[in-house]
């Protein structure tokens, strides 16, 4: 490929972009930042090796996931995407707690409902008994 | 350091382990697998560069997070730790749905409670009225 049509990977690595370039389908020239991030975090050799080790139909997903991980690590060099995991776990725990509270509230309401139904039953029985005794 | 006391990083890279080795505190010799994973995924140069770029007190967390990410990618070369993120997001969405259902159940129960209280009030009023008319 000519210099103007090189993929983002080959352009950054300043090399010729072959027709069967392993990076080209996943790191197009119109998104140089995407390759820059994965190159900075994983290194071009590791990216190439990891992509080559996978079946062709799984490479796009792997490139997307590696780009996501790399971008998170560029943003946060200490926690990287582990920060996202911590955040989701924290949120999940909070919602689980809310759910547990809501469920115990439902149990309480059910108990109150049952009690009220029983009281109503008793009350109706008294009313009926009173009305029947009136008629006698 | 002598060969027998080299850290896992220097041992794998077959080099002398200096007293001030950047890898040594985070990749001890008794856990060679930990360095093997980060080396395979990020590469020793990237690990070293990333650790050096951070304040000393944040390096241990960064090494732990990179080890975690690397281990997930070794386990799953397509999704890596993005699989954990997907799983947590899915679980979080499921719990949120459960919570929404539980909350609407609470609203329903509250409405039923109110209705039953009103019916009971009416029922008591009838009973009282009947009893009073009996006394007259």
């Amino acid at each position: 490929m000519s210099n103007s049509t090189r993929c983002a990977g080959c352009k950054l690595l300043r090399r010729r972009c072959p027709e069967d370039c392993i990076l080209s389908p996943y790191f197009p020239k119109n998104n140089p930042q995407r390759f820059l991030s994965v190159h900075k975090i994983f290194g071009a050799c590791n990216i190439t090796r990891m992509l080559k080790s996978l079946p062709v139909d799984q490479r796009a997903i792997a490139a997307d996931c590696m780009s996501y991980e790399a971008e998170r690590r560029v943003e946060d060099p200490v926690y990287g995407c582990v920060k996202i995991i911590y955040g989701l776990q924290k949120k999940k725990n909070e919602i689980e707690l809310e759910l547990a509270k809501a469920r115990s509230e439902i149990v309480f309401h059910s108990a109150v409902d049952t009690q009220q139904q029983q009281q109503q039953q008793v009350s109706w029985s008294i009313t009926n008994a009173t009305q029947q005794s009136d008629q006698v």
Side-chain angles (χ1 to χ4, degrees), chain A residues 110-123:
Chain A
S110 298
V112 168
D113 285 357
T114 308
Q115 201 184 17
Q116 282 184 340
Q117 276 166 4
Q118 285 168 346
Q119 281 176 346
Q120 201 164 46
Q121 207 96 38
V122 169
S123 184

Side-chain angles (χ1 to χ4, degrees), chain A residues 77-108:
Chain A
V78 178
Y79 287 93
C81 72
V82 172
K83 191 176 187 176
I84 310 293
I85 293 172
Y86 279 165
L88 280 167
Q89 272 174 335
K90 190 170 172 280
K91 191 72 195 161
K92 180 178 148 277
N93 293 345
E94 285 168 4
I95 304 168
E96 273 174 341
L97 196 69
E98 285 293 306
L99 182 60
K101 281 183 195 169
R103 282 184 172 154
S104 54
E105 200 172 331
I106 289 170
V107 169
F108 171 77

